[in-house]
Amino acid sequence: MESLMQDLKAKIIVQLNLQDVSPEQIGDDQPLFMEGLGLDSIDALELIVMLQQHYGIRIANPEDGPKIFQSVRTIAEYITAHQKTA
Amino acid sequence: MPYINSWCRIRRNIIVANGQTVWEEPGADVSVFLTNAYRRLDIGYPKFYKMDRLSQLGFLAAEMLLHDRFDKQEYPAEAVAVVLANAHSSLDTDVRYQQSMSAIPSPALFVYTLPNIVIGEICIRHQLKGENTFFVFEQYDIPFLNDYINQLLEQNNAQAVIGGWVDIFQDQYEAFLYLVEKKQIPGSIIHNQQTISDLYGIVDAGS
C-alpha cells in the first residue's frame, strides 16, 4: 500500500501538471479537492483517465468518484480492491 | 476620448510592457519560454501550468498589462470588457488534442479547444465580468478592433476594455494586448488606429 501511494503521488503530479508540487507535499490522507490540493472537476476526469491508463481500472459508477478520489489513500484502496478482484 | 493606458507585446521570445523589456530568452522553445517567463516573473498562479499555450500567452500578456497600471477597484467587475482576436483560433491545441485521441483523450486538453478560453482565464484571474468577445480573422484587423472597442466605451457597455491579438500555432506566436480607458493618466496614448499600429509594430516575415 505504501509503495502504491508513493507511485500514485508521482503519477498525480504528472497527470495533473502540478509542477510546483512534490510527492512529499501530498499527504496520504490529505483531501485532494477543495481545501486540500485544490483540484477541480476537470482534474477529477483526469484522475479517471489515470486509473484507466496506468492501472487498467474503469470506474463503473461515476457517483463513486467523490469517495474514491477523497485522498491518495482512498484511491490506493480502490485500486488494491479492484486489482484483486480482476 | 479613450486612451491606451497600458500595453504589452510578446513575440520573438521577448516580453515588452509599456516600452520596457521585462523578459527575454532568445532561442528557447515557445513552451519553455512561456513557462520560464511565468516563473521568473514570480506570478504565483499554479493553474498556469494547466493552461494550453494560447491561454498561457494571453495570461502572461494580461499580467504584464494589468499588474501596476490597472486598479480593478475603480470599476465594477461588469464594466471591464475583454475583446481579443487571432488568426489560428485554438488550432495549436486542437492538433494536440487530436494527437491525444490515439490513446485516451485528455479532458484537461479538451477544455482548451476553443479560442475564447484564454479570455476566461484572464477574467478568472482578474475577476472581470464584463462583455467578452473573441474574433478570428485572417490577420490582425486593427480598424475593426479599434472601432469595436471605441463603440463599447461610447455606448457605456464598458468603462475599460482589454483588447488585442493573441495568436499561436506551433512555433509561431504573438500577443499584443492593450488596456483602453476613458481616463487620462501620465503616459496615456490616444486610442486610435495609428497608435495601435505604432505600438504593435511591423512584423517581419518569419517572426
Side-chain angles (χ1 to χ4, degrees):
Chain A
M1 180 66 81
E2 280 304 318
S3 110
L4 176 56
M5 287 197 291
Q6 289 311 308
D7 184 55
L8 265 174
K9 288 174 188 176
K11 284 192 167 60
I12 287 171
I13 287 169
V14 172
Q15 189 84 23
L16 305 185
N17 222 344
L18 304 174
Q19 293 192 26
D20 286 340
V21 178
S22 65
E24 296 74 32
Q25 290 174 294
I26 305 175
D28 296 344
D29 299 297
Q30 179 184 0
L32 296 178
F33 291 84
M34 306 300 282
E35 79 275 16
L37 266 187
L39 305 186
D40 60 21
S41 55
I42 301 299
D43 294 322
L45 294 173
E46 284 291 334
L47 289 177
I48 291 171
V49 169
M50 184 190 76
L51 282 192
Q52 197 173 333
Q53 255 175 348
H54 297 287
Y55 302 97
I57 293 172
R58 280 176 178 267
I59 296 178
N61 184 2
E63 290 178 7
D64 294 338
K67 279 184 189 172
I68 298 166
F69 297 123
Q70 212 171 332
S71 67
V72 170
R73 188 183 300 281
T74 57
I75 300 174
E77 286 169 351
Y78 186 82
I79 292 171
T80 305
H82 285 73
Q83 282 184 332
K84 276 178 186 169
T85 57
Chain B
M1 180 178 293
Y3 296 94
I4 296 173
N5 286 337
S6 184
W7 61 274
C8 176
R9 196 177 59 211
I10 305 177
R11 70 162 74 116
R12 300 174 192 148
N13 287 17
I14 302 173
I15 300 177
V16 176
N18 300 306
Q20 303 293 315
T21 298
V22 295
W23 173 250
E24 58 183 318
E25 192 176 10
D29 166 81
V30 186
S31 302
V32 172
F33 166 73
L34 293 172
T35 304
N36 285 348
Y38 162 80
R39 287 186 174 133
R40 291 298 295 268
L41 296 169
D42 201 20
I43 293 169
Y45 191 74
K47 200 190 172 196
F48 178 86
Y49 297 120
K50 299 187 180 196
M51 296 177 194
D52 74 336
R53 304 196 308 172
L54 178 65
S55 292
Q56 288 184 333
L57 184 59
F59 177 91
L60 277 179
E63 285 297 304
M64 297 300 99
L65 185 76
L66 301 176
H67 86 283
D68 66 351
R69 289 208 182 187
F70 179 67
D71 181 5
K72 65 183 174 193
Q73 308 299 334
E74 281 188 35
Y75 302 106
E78 293 78 10
V80 184
V82 185
V83 182
L84 302 180
N86 76 6
H88 288 96
S89 185
S90 56
L91 190 59
D92 188 67
T93 301
D94 297 346
V95 169
R96 287 164 197 269
Y97 181 69
Q98 187 185 34
Q99 288 165 350
S100 83
M101 290 171 75
S102 60
I104 301 174
S106 163
L109 205 50
F110 175 73
V111 296
Y112 288 101
T113 56
L114 284 171
N116 57 326
I117 304 303
V118 58
I119 293 181
E121 295 291 5
I122 293 169
C123 289
I124 290 168
R125 165 66 164 167
H126 299 283
Q127 297 171 321
L128 310 176
K129 297 179 182 174
E131 169 167 331
N132 64 76
T133 311
F134 198 104
F135 295 100
V136 179
F137 299 128
E138 283 190 21
Q139 55 188 8
Y140 187 11
D141 190 337
I142 291 174
F144 179 91
L145 279 186
N146 177 70
D147 292 349
Y148 194 93
I149 290 170
N150 282 344
Q151 204 167 28
L152 280 176
L153 294 165
E154 283 165 15
Q155 296 181 349
N156 288 319
N157 289 322
Q159 294 173 33
V161 182
I162 296 163
W165 180 257
V166 185
D167 194 36
I168 185 166
F169 182 55
Q170 296 172 341
D171 59 350
Q172 301 293 306
Y173 71 95
E174 183 176 40
F176 172 58
L177 261 56
Y178 47 92
L179 170 68
V180 186
E181 296 175 290
K182 292 180 180 176
K183 68 171 185 180
Q184 190 173 13
I185 62 171
S188 283
I189 301 163
I190 293 170
H191 176 247
N192 60 36
Q193 293 181 33
Q194 186 58 53
T195 54
I196 295 170
S197 296
D198 291 345
L199 294 175
Y200 175 59
I202 303 299
V203 183
D204 298 331
S207 63

